[in-house]
Each structure stands twice: as structure tokens, then as C-alpha cells.
Short mmCIF file of all heavy atoms in Angstrom, two decimals:
data_model
loop_
_atom_site.label_atom_id
_atom_site.label_comp_id
_atom_site.label_asym_id
_atom_site.label_seq_id
_atom_site.Cartn_x
_atom_site.Cartn_y
_atom_site.Cartn_z
N THR A 250 -0.71 -10.14 0.17
CA THR A 250 -0.84 -8.83 -0.45
C THR A 250 -2.31 -8.48 -0.58
O THR A 250 -3.09 -9.24 -1.16
CB THR A 250 -0.18 -8.78 -1.84
OG1 THR A 250 1.20 -9.14 -1.74
CG2 THR A 250 -0.29 -7.38 -2.43
N ILE A 251 -2.69 -7.34 -0.04
CA ILE A 251 -4.05 -6.85 -0.20
C ILE A 251 -4.08 -5.82 -1.32
O ILE A 251 -3.16 -5.03 -1.48
CB ILE A 251 -4.59 -6.25 1.12
CG1 ILE A 251 -6.09 -5.94 1.01
CG2 ILE A 251 -3.81 -5.02 1.55
CD1 ILE A 251 -6.73 -5.59 2.35
N SER A 252 -5.12 -5.86 -2.12
CA SER A 252 -5.26 -4.93 -3.22
C SER A 252 -6.73 -4.66 -3.46
O SER A 252 -7.60 -5.36 -2.93
CB SER A 252 -4.59 -5.46 -4.50
OG SER A 252 -5.19 -6.67 -4.92
N ARG A 253 -7.01 -3.65 -4.26
CA ARG A 253 -8.40 -3.33 -4.56
C ARG A 253 -8.54 -2.92 -6.01
O ARG A 253 -7.62 -2.37 -6.61
CB ARG A 253 -8.92 -2.23 -3.63
CG ARG A 253 -8.23 -0.88 -3.79
CD ARG A 253 -8.58 0.05 -2.62
NE ARG A 253 -10.01 0.36 -2.58
CZ ARG A 253 -10.65 0.77 -1.49
NH1 ARG A 253 -10.00 0.90 -0.33
NH2 ARG A 253 -11.95 1.03 -1.56
N ASP A 254 -9.70 -3.20 -6.56
CA ASP A 254 -10.05 -2.79 -7.91
C ASP A 254 -11.35 -2.02 -7.80
O ASP A 254 -12.43 -2.61 -7.69
CB ASP A 254 -10.19 -4.00 -8.83
CG ASP A 254 -10.40 -3.61 -10.28
OD1 ASP A 254 -10.82 -2.47 -10.56
OD2 ASP A 254 -10.13 -4.46 -11.16
N ASN A 255 -11.24 -0.71 -7.79
CA ASN A 255 -12.43 0.12 -7.59
C ASN A 255 -13.44 -0.02 -8.73
O ASN A 255 -14.64 0.14 -8.53
CB ASN A 255 -12.03 1.58 -7.42
CG ASN A 255 -11.35 1.85 -6.09
OD1 ASN A 255 -11.38 1.03 -5.19
ND2 ASN A 255 -10.72 3.02 -5.98
N ALA A 256 -12.96 -0.32 -9.93
CA ALA A 256 -13.86 -0.50 -11.06
C ALA A 256 -14.73 -1.74 -10.90
O ALA A 256 -15.82 -1.81 -11.46
CB ALA A 256 -13.07 -0.58 -12.36
N LYS A 257 -14.25 -2.72 -10.13
CA LYS A 257 -14.99 -3.95 -9.89
C LYS A 257 -15.60 -4.03 -8.50
O LYS A 257 -16.21 -5.04 -8.15
CB LYS A 257 -14.09 -5.16 -10.12
CG LYS A 257 -13.59 -5.30 -11.54
CD LYS A 257 -12.73 -6.55 -11.68
CE LYS A 257 -12.26 -6.71 -13.11
NZ LYS A 257 -11.42 -7.92 -13.27
N ASN A 258 -15.43 -2.98 -7.70
CA ASN A 258 -15.92 -2.97 -6.32
C ASN A 258 -15.45 -4.20 -5.56
O ASN A 258 -16.22 -4.83 -4.81
CB ASN A 258 -17.45 -2.88 -6.28
CG ASN A 258 -17.96 -1.49 -6.56
OD1 ASN A 258 -17.24 -0.60 -7.00
ND2 ASN A 258 -19.25 -1.27 -6.31
N THR A 259 -14.19 -4.54 -5.71
CA THR A 259 -13.67 -5.78 -5.16
C THR A 259 -12.33 -5.55 -4.48
O THR A 259 -11.48 -4.81 -4.99
CB THR A 259 -13.52 -6.84 -6.26
OG1 THR A 259 -14.79 -7.09 -6.86
CG2 THR A 259 -12.98 -8.14 -5.69
N VAL A 260 -12.16 -6.19 -3.33
CA VAL A 260 -10.88 -6.22 -2.65
C VAL A 260 -10.36 -7.65 -2.66
O VAL A 260 -11.15 -8.60 -2.57
CB VAL A 260 -10.99 -5.66 -1.20
CG1 VAL A 260 -11.92 -6.51 -0.35
CG2 VAL A 260 -9.61 -5.54 -0.57
N TYR A 261 -9.06 -7.80 -2.80
CA TYR A 261 -8.44 -9.11 -2.90
C TYR A 261 -7.43 -9.32 -1.78
O TYR A 261 -6.87 -8.37 -1.24
CB TYR A 261 -7.70 -9.26 -4.24
CG TYR A 261 -8.56 -9.02 -5.45
CD1 TYR A 261 -8.58 -7.77 -6.06
CD2 TYR A 261 -9.33 -10.04 -5.99
CE1 TYR A 261 -9.36 -7.54 -7.18
CE2 TYR A 261 -10.12 -9.81 -7.10
CZ TYR A 261 -10.13 -8.57 -7.70
OH TYR A 261 -10.90 -8.35 -8.81
N LEU A 262 -7.20 -10.57 -1.48
CA LEU A 262 -6.10 -10.95 -0.60
C LEU A 262 -5.35 -12.09 -1.26
O LEU A 262 -5.84 -13.22 -1.31
CB LEU A 262 -6.59 -11.38 0.79
CG LEU A 262 -5.50 -11.67 1.81
CD1 LEU A 262 -4.74 -10.39 2.19
CD2 LEU A 262 -6.07 -12.33 3.06
N GLN A 263 -4.18 -11.78 -1.80
CA GLN A 263 -3.32 -12.79 -2.38
C GLN A 263 -2.48 -13.40 -1.27
O GLN A 263 -1.75 -12.69 -0.59
CB GLN A 263 -2.42 -12.18 -3.45
CG GLN A 263 -1.44 -13.16 -4.09
CD GLN A 263 -2.13 -14.22 -4.91
OE1 GLN A 263 -3.02 -13.91 -5.70
NE2 GLN A 263 -1.75 -15.48 -4.73
N MET A 264 -2.59 -14.70 -1.09
CA MET A 264 -1.91 -15.40 -0.01
C MET A 264 -0.92 -16.39 -0.62
O MET A 264 -1.33 -17.34 -1.29
CB MET A 264 -2.91 -16.13 0.89
CG MET A 264 -3.98 -15.21 1.47
SD MET A 264 -5.08 -16.06 2.64
CE MET A 264 -5.89 -17.21 1.51
N ASN A 265 0.35 -16.17 -0.37
CA ASN A 265 1.41 -17.03 -0.86
C ASN A 265 2.13 -17.68 0.31
O ASN A 265 2.04 -17.22 1.44
CB ASN A 265 2.40 -16.25 -1.71
CG ASN A 265 1.79 -15.63 -2.94
OD1 ASN A 265 0.87 -16.20 -3.54
ND2 ASN A 265 2.30 -14.47 -3.35
N SER A 266 2.88 -18.72 0.01
CA SER A 266 3.67 -19.43 1.03
C SER A 266 2.82 -19.75 2.25
O SER A 266 3.22 -19.51 3.40
CB SER A 266 4.89 -18.60 1.42
OG SER A 266 5.71 -18.34 0.30
N LEU A 267 1.67 -20.31 2.01
CA LEU A 267 0.73 -20.57 3.10
C LEU A 267 1.27 -21.60 4.09
O LEU A 267 1.97 -22.54 3.71
CB LEU A 267 -0.61 -21.04 2.54
CG LEU A 267 -1.47 -19.91 1.96
CD1 LEU A 267 -2.54 -20.47 1.04
CD2 LEU A 267 -2.10 -19.10 3.08
N LYS A 268 0.93 -21.38 5.34
CA LYS A 268 1.36 -22.23 6.44
C LYS A 268 0.13 -22.80 7.14
O LYS A 268 -0.94 -22.21 7.09
CB LYS A 268 2.17 -21.42 7.46
CG LYS A 268 3.38 -20.71 6.89
CD LYS A 268 4.03 -19.82 7.95
CE LYS A 268 5.24 -19.10 7.40
NZ LYS A 268 5.86 -18.22 8.43
N PRO A 269 0.27 -23.95 7.81
CA PRO A 269 -0.87 -24.50 8.54
C PRO A 269 -1.48 -23.51 9.53
O PRO A 269 -2.71 -23.53 9.73
CB PRO A 269 -0.28 -25.72 9.25
CG PRO A 269 0.82 -26.16 8.35
CD PRO A 269 1.42 -24.88 7.81
N GLU A 270 -0.67 -22.66 10.13
CA GLU A 270 -1.20 -21.68 11.07
C GLU A 270 -2.03 -20.58 10.42
O GLU A 270 -2.64 -19.77 11.12
CB GLU A 270 -0.08 -21.06 11.92
CG GLU A 270 1.07 -20.50 11.10
CD GLU A 270 2.25 -21.45 11.01
OE1 GLU A 270 2.02 -22.67 10.78
OE2 GLU A 270 3.40 -21.00 11.18
N ASP A 271 -2.06 -20.53 9.09
CA ASP A 271 -2.95 -19.62 8.39
C ASP A 271 -4.38 -20.15 8.31
O ASP A 271 -5.28 -19.43 7.87
CB ASP A 271 -2.44 -19.35 6.97
CG ASP A 271 -1.12 -18.62 6.95
OD1 ASP A 271 -0.94 -17.68 7.76
OD2 ASP A 271 -0.27 -18.97 6.11
N THR A 272 -4.59 -21.39 8.71
CA THR A 272 -5.92 -21.99 8.67
C THR A 272 -6.87 -21.19 9.55
O THR A 272 -6.63 -20.99 10.74
CB THR A 272 -5.87 -23.44 9.13
OG1 THR A 272 -5.09 -24.20 8.20
CG2 THR A 272 -7.26 -24.04 9.21
N ALA A 273 -7.96 -20.73 8.97
CA ALA A 273 -8.93 -19.90 9.68
C ALA A 273 -10.10 -19.60 8.75
O ALA A 273 -10.04 -19.87 7.55
CB ALA A 273 -8.29 -18.59 10.14
N VAL A 274 -11.13 -19.02 9.33
CA VAL A 274 -12.18 -18.40 8.54
C VAL A 274 -11.77 -16.96 8.29
O VAL A 274 -11.46 -16.23 9.23
CB VAL A 274 -13.55 -18.46 9.23
CG1 VAL A 274 -14.61 -17.74 8.40
CG2 VAL A 274 -13.96 -19.91 9.48
N TYR A 275 -11.75 -16.57 7.04
CA TYR A 275 -11.33 -15.23 6.66
C TYR A 275 -12.55 -14.37 6.36
O TYR A 275 -13.43 -14.78 5.60
CB TYR A 275 -10.41 -15.28 5.44
CG TYR A 275 -9.01 -15.73 5.78
CD1 TYR A 275 -8.76 -17.05 6.14
CD2 TYR A 275 -7.94 -14.84 5.77
CE1 TYR A 275 -7.49 -17.47 6.48
CE2 TYR A 275 -6.67 -15.25 6.11
CZ TYR A 275 -6.44 -16.56 6.46
OH TYR A 275 -5.17 -16.97 6.80
N TYR A 276 -12.58 -13.19 6.95
CA TYR A 276 -13.72 -12.28 6.83
C TYR A 276 -13.31 -10.98 6.16
O TYR A 276 -12.28 -10.40 6.49
CB TYR A 276 -14.29 -11.94 8.20
CG TYR A 276 -14.85 -13.11 8.97
CD1 TYR A 276 -14.07 -13.83 9.86
CD2 TYR A 276 -16.17 -13.50 8.80
CE1 TYR A 276 -14.58 -14.90 10.56
CE2 TYR A 276 -16.69 -14.57 9.50
CZ TYR A 276 -15.89 -15.26 10.38
OH TYR A 276 -16.41 -16.32 11.09
N CYS A 277 -14.14 -10.52 5.26
CA CYS A 277 -13.97 -9.23 4.63
C CYS A 277 -14.67 -8.17 5.47
O CYS A 277 -15.74 -8.41 6.04
CB CYS A 277 -14.57 -9.27 3.22
SG CYS A 277 -14.41 -7.76 2.27
N ASN A 278 -14.07 -7.00 5.55
CA ASN A 278 -14.59 -5.90 6.36
C ASN A 278 -14.58 -4.61 5.55
O ASN A 278 -13.66 -4.38 4.77
CB ASN A 278 -13.73 -5.75 7.62
CG ASN A 278 -13.91 -4.43 8.32
OD1 ASN A 278 -13.14 -3.49 8.11
ND2 ASN A 278 -14.91 -4.36 9.18
N ALA A 279 -15.60 -3.80 5.74
CA ALA A 279 -15.67 -2.49 5.11
C ALA A 279 -16.05 -1.45 6.14
O ALA A 279 -16.94 -1.67 6.97
CB ALA A 279 -16.68 -2.48 3.97
N VAL A 280 -15.36 -0.32 6.10
CA VAL A 280 -15.71 0.84 6.92
C VAL A 280 -16.01 1.98 5.96
O VAL A 280 -15.13 2.41 5.22
CB VAL A 280 -14.59 1.22 7.89
CG1 VAL A 280 -14.99 2.45 8.70
CG2 VAL A 280 -14.26 0.06 8.81
N TYR A 281 -17.25 2.43 6.00
CA TYR A 281 -17.72 3.44 5.07
C TYR A 281 -18.62 4.40 5.82
O TYR A 281 -19.69 4.02 6.29
CB TYR A 281 -18.47 2.78 3.91
CG TYR A 281 -19.22 3.73 3.00
CD1 TYR A 281 -18.54 4.65 2.21
CD2 TYR A 281 -20.60 3.70 2.94
CE1 TYR A 281 -19.23 5.51 1.38
CE2 TYR A 281 -21.29 4.56 2.10
CZ TYR A 281 -20.60 5.47 1.33
OH TYR A 281 -21.29 6.33 0.50
N ARG A 282 -18.16 5.63 5.96
CA ARG A 282 -18.89 6.66 6.69
C ARG A 282 -19.27 6.13 8.08
O ARG A 282 -18.40 5.81 8.88
CB ARG A 282 -20.08 7.13 5.88
CG ARG A 282 -19.67 7.73 4.53
CD ARG A 282 -20.81 8.33 3.75
NE ARG A 282 -21.34 9.53 4.40
CZ ARG A 282 -22.25 10.33 3.87
NH1 ARG A 282 -22.75 10.05 2.67
NH2 ARG A 282 -22.67 11.39 4.53
N SER A 283 -20.54 6.02 8.39
CA SER A 283 -20.98 5.54 9.70
C SER A 283 -21.21 4.03 9.74
O SER A 283 -21.68 3.50 10.75
CB SER A 283 -22.26 6.25 10.13
OG SER A 283 -22.05 7.64 10.24
N ASN A 284 -20.89 3.34 8.67
CA ASN A 284 -21.21 1.92 8.55
C ASN A 284 -19.98 1.04 8.70
O ASN A 284 -18.91 1.37 8.20
CB ASN A 284 -21.87 1.63 7.20
CG ASN A 284 -23.11 2.45 6.96
OD1 ASN A 284 -23.14 3.28 6.05
ND2 ASN A 284 -24.13 2.22 7.78
N VAL A 285 -20.15 -0.07 9.39
CA VAL A 285 -19.16 -1.13 9.46
C VAL A 285 -19.85 -2.41 9.03
O VAL A 285 -20.88 -2.78 9.60
CB VAL A 285 -18.57 -1.29 10.86
CG1 VAL A 285 -17.53 -2.41 10.88
CG2 VAL A 285 -17.95 0.02 11.33
N ALA A 286 -19.30 -3.08 8.04
CA ALA A 286 -19.93 -4.27 7.50
C ALA A 286 -18.95 -5.43 7.47
O ALA A 286 -17.74 -5.24 7.33
CB ALA A 286 -20.46 -4.00 6.10
N TRP A 287 -19.50 -6.63 7.59
CA TRP A 287 -18.72 -7.87 7.56
C TRP A 287 -19.34 -8.84 6.58
O TRP A 287 -20.57 -8.93 6.45
CB TRP A 287 -18.68 -8.53 8.94
CG TRP A 287 -17.98 -7.72 9.98
CD1 TRP A 287 -18.51 -6.81 10.83
CD2 TRP A 287 -16.58 -7.76 10.27
NE1 TRP A 287 -17.54 -6.27 11.63
CE2 TRP A 287 -16.34 -6.84 11.31
CE3 TRP A 287 -15.50 -8.49 9.75
CZ2 TRP A 287 -15.08 -6.63 11.86
CZ3 TRP A 287 -14.24 -8.28 10.28
CH2 TRP A 287 -14.05 -7.36 11.33
N GLY A 288 -18.49 -9.58 5.91
CA GLY A 288 -18.96 -10.68 5.10
C GLY A 288 -19.23 -11.91 5.95
O GLY A 288 -19.02 -11.91 7.17
N GLN A 289 -19.71 -12.96 5.31
CA GLN A 289 -20.03 -14.19 6.02
C GLN A 289 -18.81 -15.05 6.32
O GLN A 289 -18.87 -15.94 7.16
CB GLN A 289 -21.05 -15.01 5.21
CG GLN A 289 -22.43 -14.38 5.15
CD GLN A 289 -23.09 -14.34 6.51
OE1 GLN A 289 -23.24 -15.37 7.16
NE2 GLN A 289 -23.48 -13.14 6.95
N GLY A 290 -17.72 -14.79 5.64
CA GLY A 290 -16.50 -15.54 5.87
C GLY A 290 -16.30 -16.65 4.86
O GLY A 290 -17.26 -17.20 4.31
N THR A 291 -15.05 -16.98 4.63
CA THR A 291 -14.71 -18.09 3.76
C THR A 291 -13.59 -18.90 4.42
O THR A 291 -12.65 -18.34 4.98
CB THR A 291 -14.29 -17.60 2.35
OG1 THR A 291 -14.06 -18.71 1.49
CG2 THR A 291 -13.04 -16.73 2.40
N GLN A 292 -13.73 -20.22 4.40
CA GLN A 292 -12.80 -21.10 5.09
C GLN A 292 -11.53 -21.30 4.27
O GLN A 292 -11.59 -21.62 3.09
CB GLN A 292 -13.45 -22.45 5.37
CG GLN A 292 -12.52 -23.48 6.03
CD GLN A 292 -12.20 -23.14 7.46
OE1 GLN A 292 -13.11 -22.83 8.24
NE2 GLN A 292 -10.92 -23.20 7.81
N VAL A 293 -10.41 -21.11 4.92
CA VAL A 293 -9.11 -21.43 4.34
C VAL A 293 -8.46 -22.49 5.21
O VAL A 293 -8.28 -22.29 6.41
CB VAL A 293 -8.20 -20.19 4.25
CG1 VAL A 293 -6.78 -20.59 3.82
CG2 VAL A 293 -8.78 -19.18 3.27
N THR A 294 -8.13 -23.62 4.61
CA THR A 294 -7.49 -24.70 5.33
C THR A 294 -6.17 -25.04 4.64
O THR A 294 -6.15 -25.31 3.44
CB THR A 294 -8.39 -25.95 5.38
OG1 THR A 294 -9.63 -25.62 6.00
CG2 THR A 294 -7.72 -27.06 6.18
N VAL A 295 -5.10 -25.03 5.41
CA VAL A 295 -3.77 -25.32 4.89
C VAL A 295 -3.27 -26.59 5.53
O VAL A 295 -3.11 -26.66 6.75
CB VAL A 295 -2.79 -24.17 5.15
CG1 VAL A 295 -1.44 -24.47 4.51
CG2 VAL A 295 -3.36 -22.85 4.64
#
């Protein structure tokens, strides 16, 4: 489930029932006007 809290300038990804195939580096992305931005990524290992 993806959600956002505009008051905290934060987007969340709630991940349930995780499977080994979900193992990956997860990256946050923002598209704002003419800008596209990426985070550095966070490792998820199942």
C-alpha cells in the first residue's frame, strides 16, 4: 500500500506478506513540474 502525508512531506510503502522475490533495492521517485528526482535507495531483503 502506497500512501502520503503531505503535512510531513513523506510518502510511505507498506509492504505485507513479503516474498523472497520482493528482495531488491527500493527507490523513491518524485515528479514535480519539470523535475524528476530519485532517492539513493534502500535495501529490502526477504
Side-chain angles (χ1 to χ4, degrees):
T250 303
I251 189 169
S252 62
R253 64 193 297 158
D254 187 339
N255 289 347
K257 296 181 178 180
N258 283 12
T259 300
V260 62
Y261 304 96
L262 185 68
Q263 178 67 46
M264 304 185 294
N265 299 326
S266 301
L267 283 162
K268 304 174 180 179
E270 52 261 44
D271 295 319
T272 295
V274 177
Y275 283 71
Y276 297 92
C277 182
N278 163 264
V280 179
Y281 169 67
R282 300 185 68 173
S283 299
N284 303 115
V285 180
W287 296 91
Q289 291 294 304
T291 185
Q292 177 71 47
V293 172
T294 302
V295 184

